[in-house]
Amino acid sequence: MHPILVQIQVVYALIMRETRTRFGLNRLGYLWAILEPMLFIATFALVFRIFGRVAPERMPIVPFLATGFMPYLLFRETSGRGLHAIEANRGLLFYPQVRPLDLVLARVLLEIATSFVAFAIIVGVYCVYSGQFEVADPLQVVIGFGLAAGIGASLGLILCAASVFSTLVERLHGPLIRPLFWFSGLMYPTGHLPLAYRTLLSYNPIVHAVELTRAGYFRGYRADHVGVAYPLMWIAILAFLGLTLERVARRRLVLS
Amino acid sequence: MIVLNEITKTYPTLNGVNVVLKGISAVFPERKNVGIIGRNGAGKSTLMRLISGSEQPDSGTIFRRGRVSWPVGFSGGFSGSLTGAQNARFVARIYGMDIDAVAAFANAFSELGEYFYMPVKTYSSGMRARLAFALSMAIDFDVYLVDEITAVGDSRFQKKCRAAFDDRRDRSTLIIVSHDMTTISNYCDTCAWLRNGQLHFYDTIEEAKAAYECYGP
């Protein structure tokens, strides 16, 4: 059998296995996947209301926050789940056709699917509730999520491979990722910032993924300062590093 | 057939590099069951992981012909939070086998009863080994790599394992590692002794037995 077919078979089996452990262990599993972003959005919608703020340009608050949080969460989850991929699946690496790369791929694909379903449910429910439904450019929303997942996945692969060499990676991951929550334009449109700050934030590839998602969702949303090319460059570099490191890590992997 | 060519394997430890295998070369021919004997910590399990391909040697090459199993043993091969049945389905999928057939076979062969539908982390090590053994039997391998587990379970289960291997003697090869000479003499045609990172082959089990027992177990 061709190696690529074997790999597809393995990744599919791993997705089925991850579905069990990600959602199946307690009955609230599926619910939690939707509840977490909902809690984020509800909290910040409440904060906006308390301080008497409305979303910029009178965008509806729930889609405004959802288009920010959910690509960000997708990035955070894919990178974090990549980091812990080996630790959670060490036993399965005994099967020679299962490699660390497959573990990361399976987790990322499942995370993307989960994120899309959660986004569709949250936005869908809101649309039914508010009676308004318009997505300016659905394809661009998909691209925004895709870029967020791509950055998270390639970073996750680096972290996964690096975790073979040092436990330091796990300690550093949280403190390094957390500030991005405030600097990724989740609760403010970066287009409204002073030029100096906007330029600074534009170095963060997550900003591009978030703003592209928003521009895809809201008609007339100003996102001229972001583009696909810059995050794609990040993905290319991170993926190259990740794939290289995974090759090295695969040889150094100690199973028991 | 499996050919090892100058295989070296080291592991980093806190006290420096631990050289486990020092340039092992060997040929494991088809239809000839080989036992590998050695004391605890001699590197038997490491050798099995290298032969299966689940770990890579530092240097040297390994040639495999036919379908080689994973190292069937007490440790590894399962995700503890899944049930025996779910693990069986996973293994069926990655080897491209019929899922229901593999699960049914593993259920019947392992004789785990209702434990088959409980998470593997609730199993005793004997039960894990039985599941591993049953799963490997559900998939037709050309070469079986077995790590210690044939001494598992009650005598009835041991007889069953024995019968299963006898049954496929004409199409499968067995490579078995153990620290117990009795296990090896039960299953194998020839024997090798893994000692000081080197593999010493003996023509007959008796010779190996004499040498190993003379050295002192």
Side-chain angles (χ1 to χ4, degrees):
Chain A
M1 202 148 91
H2 194 275
I4 201 90
L5 292 177
V6 175
Q7 193 177 7
I8 290 171
Q9 212 171 45
V10 167
V11 171
Y12 173 71
L14 284 168
I15 291 175
M16 301 306 284
R17 172 242 177 280
E18 288 284 341
T19 313
R20 295 278 175 200
T21 41
R22 174 92 162 74
F23 302 119
L25 292 184
N26 52 54
R27 287 173 204 287
L28 287 177
Y30 285 99
L31 202 61
W32 184 243
I34 299 161
L35 226 54
E36 198 189 359
M38 261 171 71
L39 279 176
F40 263 124
I41 292 163
T43 310
F44 274 83
L46 196 67
V47 170
F48 270 52
R49 175 150 296 186
I50 288 171
F51 287 93
R53 280 198 52 190
V54 289
E57 301 183 21
R58 292 207 209 104
M59 282 179 277
I61 188 77
V62 169
F64 174 74
L65 291 173
T67 48
F69 280 128
M70 300 202 62
Y72 169 78
L73 275 182
L74 181 54
F75 157 75
R76 200 198 65 184
E77 286 302 303
T78 42
S79 68
R81 295 185 71 76
L83 169 63
H84 296 113
I86 291 182
E87 176 193 315
N89 292 295
R90 196 169 284 270
L92 300 182
L93 290 168
F94 268 74
Y95 302 108
Q97 64 269 56
V98 179
R99 298 164 308 165
L101 177 63
D102 304 316
L103 301 178
V104 175
L105 273 180
R107 294 190 139 206
V108 164
L109 290 173
L110 184 62
E111 217 48 57
I112 291 174
T114 310
S115 173
F116 265 115
V117 171
F119 182 70
I121 289 176
I122 289 172
V123 169
V125 167
Y126 175 77
C127 288
V128 170
Y129 163 76
S130 69
Q132 296 168 349
F133 181 70
E134 190 195 2
V135 178
D137 186 350
L139 181 61
Q140 198 176 323
V141 174
V142 173
I143 290 172
F145 273 84
L147 289 170
I151 301 163
S154 47
L155 179 62
L157 185 59
I158 294 179
L159 296 173
C160 166
S163 73
V164 171
F165 298 100
S166 170
T167 49
L168 197 64
V169 194
E170 205 179 326
R171 289 169 201 276
L172 289 177
H173 177 247
L176 289 179
I177 289 283
R178 243 169 264 145
L180 289 177
F181 182 80
W182 304 103
F183 299 115
S184 300
L186 306 188
M187 39 299 206
Y188 50 87
T190 53
H192 288 201
L193 293 174
L195 187 60
Y197 292 122
R198 186 214 287 177
T199 312
L200 207 58
L201 283 190
S202 298
Y203 283 106
N204 175 1
I206 315 294
V207 165
H208 293 252
V210 165
E211 294 291 49
L212 284 168
T213 309
R214 286 220 175 101
Y217 193 90
F218 297 107
R219 190 174 299 282
Y221 185 86
R222 286 229 321 265
D224 302 330
H225 58 296
V226 297
V228 178
Y230 182 70
L232 273 182
M233 185 193 77
W234 269 87
I235 294 173
I237 293 171
L238 292 178
F240 172 75
L241 288 174
L243 288 168
T244 311
L245 206 55
E246 193 261 355
R247 287 257 156 186
V248 182
R250 205 187 282 175
R251 298 188 71 85
R252 289 268 37 134
L253 200 61
V254 180
L255 288 183
S256 60
Chain B
M1 183 168 79
I2 289 170
V3 181
L4 308 181
N5 187 19
E6 291 291 319
I7 297 297
T8 302
K9 183 69 179 175
T10 63
Y11 289 111
T13 67
L14 289 177
N15 306 322
V17 176
N18 178 23
V19 184
V20 183
L21 305 175
K22 301 170 185 165
I24 288 184
S25 295
V27 177
F28 296 92
E30 269 156 53
R31 319 252 185 288
K32 200 163 186 190
N33 293 350
V34 181
I36 297 170
I37 197 144
R39 310 176 84 178
N40 292 327
K44 302 188 296 291
S45 298
T46 302
L47 184 59
M48 287 306 234
R49 291 198 294 271
L50 293 179
I51 293 175
S52 76
S54 56
E55 274 185 33
Q56 305 291 320
D58 293 357
S59 64
T61 53
I62 299 172
F63 168 83
R64 304 177 188 86
R65 187 160 63 202
R67 208 175 198 189
V68 181
S69 82
W70 73 91
V72 183
F74 286 112
S75 63
F78 297 118
S79 53
S81 48
L82 298 187
T83 67
Q86 287 165 343
N87 273 294
R89 300 171 76 82
F90 175 81
V91 172
R93 282 196 183 100
I94 60 170
Y95 284 97
M97 305 284 289
D98 183 274
I99 294 165
D100 293 324
V102 168
F105 182 93
N107 189 9
F109 195 97
S110 64
E111 297 174 18
L112 286 168
E114 60 194 40
Y115 270 102
F116 192 63
Y117 301 99
M118 303 234 263
V120 168
K121 63 184 165 204
T122 64
Y123 289 16
S124 69
S125 61
M127 288 160 73
R128 286 174 70 100
R130 260 154 69 172
L131 179 62
F133 195 80
L135 273 178
S136 71
M137 286 293 132
I139 295 159
D140 265 318
F141 288 113
D142 298 311
V143 180
Y144 281 88
L145 305 174
V146 178
D147 192 346
E148 297 279 6
I149 65 164
T150 36
V152 104
D154 48 24
S155 59
R156 202 169 67 84
F157 189 76
Q158 285 188 33
K159 268 187 198 138
K160 201 169 172 177
C161 296
R162 185 62 208 266
F165 274 125
D166 285 343
D167 186 38
R168 51 192 79 202
R169 211 188 163 82
D170 53 339
R171 54 198 157 102
S172 301
T173 309
L174 182 61
I175 300 176
I176 194 165
V177 303
S178 181
H179 59 260
D180 174 33
M181 205 69 212
T182 326
T183 314
I184 288 178
S185 56
N186 268 340
Y187 283 91
C188 301
D189 307 317
T190 61
C191 182
W193 183 4
L194 184 58
R195 186 179 61 195
N196 300 327
Q198 296 285 349
L199 209 48
H200 305 269
F201 275 88
Y202 295 90
D203 289 332
T204 63
I205 301 283
E206 285 69 36
E207 275 176 52
K209 198 171 181 171
Y212 186 66
E213 274 160 11
C214 171
Y215 188 76

